[in-house]
Amino acid sequence: MLWTDLRFELSVAKWKELDPGLKALAVMASAASIGCSWCMDFGHWESQGRGMDVRKLRDVPMWRDSTVYTPLERDVMGYAEAMTANPPEVGDESAARLLTALGEAAFVELTAMVAVENLRSRMNAALGLTSQGFKDHCDIPARPGTAAG
């Protein structure tokens, strides 16, 4: 299984239609929705290493209340959360707005990346993986009736 996953991740890493910053925000918004502190931790470290604004990375779990995001970034994170909901809650208006803003290839990649992150985060959360110290703390707010990751 490990080799299959590695080959899959190497293939995913070749996808280049979607802006890397938007991709990172979508992936982290999905991970935050699921509650995967490992994915948030690693995503923060990886994206910061690629030069992404630390304020944007830090504010992902509370993006609706943050002032650091552009309207397009907000649409991407909202779409990621809507796709991650169970059942998915993606609206036609949101999808159409992103399709227009990103173009077809980047929109399809966005959708695929959120699906990939759902696989990663759900698997990691089910296996009990937690933050490993790639960044100094986990920022996923606790949901009612649960403990923070």
Side-chain angles (χ1 to χ4, degrees):
M1 189 186 100
L2 180 61
W3 289 114
T4 300
D5 187 54
L6 177 60
R7 284 192 303 270
F8 175 70
E9 289 292 344
L10 289 171
S11 295
V12 169
K14 294 177 184 176
W15 299 348
K16 302 292 183 199
E17 296 297 324
L18 181 61
D19 173 82
L22 294 176
K23 188 181 302 191
L25 292 174
V27 164
M28 289 182 69
S30 178
S33 292
I34 291 168
C36 182
S37 63
W38 192 96
C39 293
M40 290 295 293
D41 182 36
F42 186 77
H44 185 283
W45 174 79
E46 182 180 46
S47 297
Q48 184 178 358
R50 292 182 178 158
M52 194 161 171
D53 184 343
V54 175
R55 295 170 304 158
K56 289 185 178 188
L57 298 170
R58 179 195 64 223
D59 286 0
V60 168
M62 58 207 166
W63 65 267
R64 284 182 178 80
D65 299 322
S66 177
T67 60
V68 299
Y69 301 108
T70 67
L72 178 56
E73 290 169 334
R74 291 178 175 286
D75 280 348
V76 164
M77 289 186 287
Y79 182 78
E81 283 186 358
M83 261 189 76
T84 301
N86 193 9
E89 300 171 348
V90 176
D92 291 343
E93 183 180 313
S94 170
R97 196 168 50 246
L98 282 167
L99 180 59
T100 298
L102 299 174
E104 187 174 315
F107 176 70
V108 170
E109 185 172 321
L110 168 64
T111 303
M113 281 308 307
V114 174
V116 167
E117 187 55 35
N118 268 260
L119 168 70
R120 293 172 180 151
S121 288
R122 292 179 190 282
M123 185 171 176
N124 290 345
L127 292 173
L129 297 177
T130 60
S131 178
Q132 298 295 305
F134 291 103
K135 70 182 200 90
D136 57 0
H137 61 281
C138 174
D139 295 319
I140 300 174
R143 294 187 187 131
T146 64

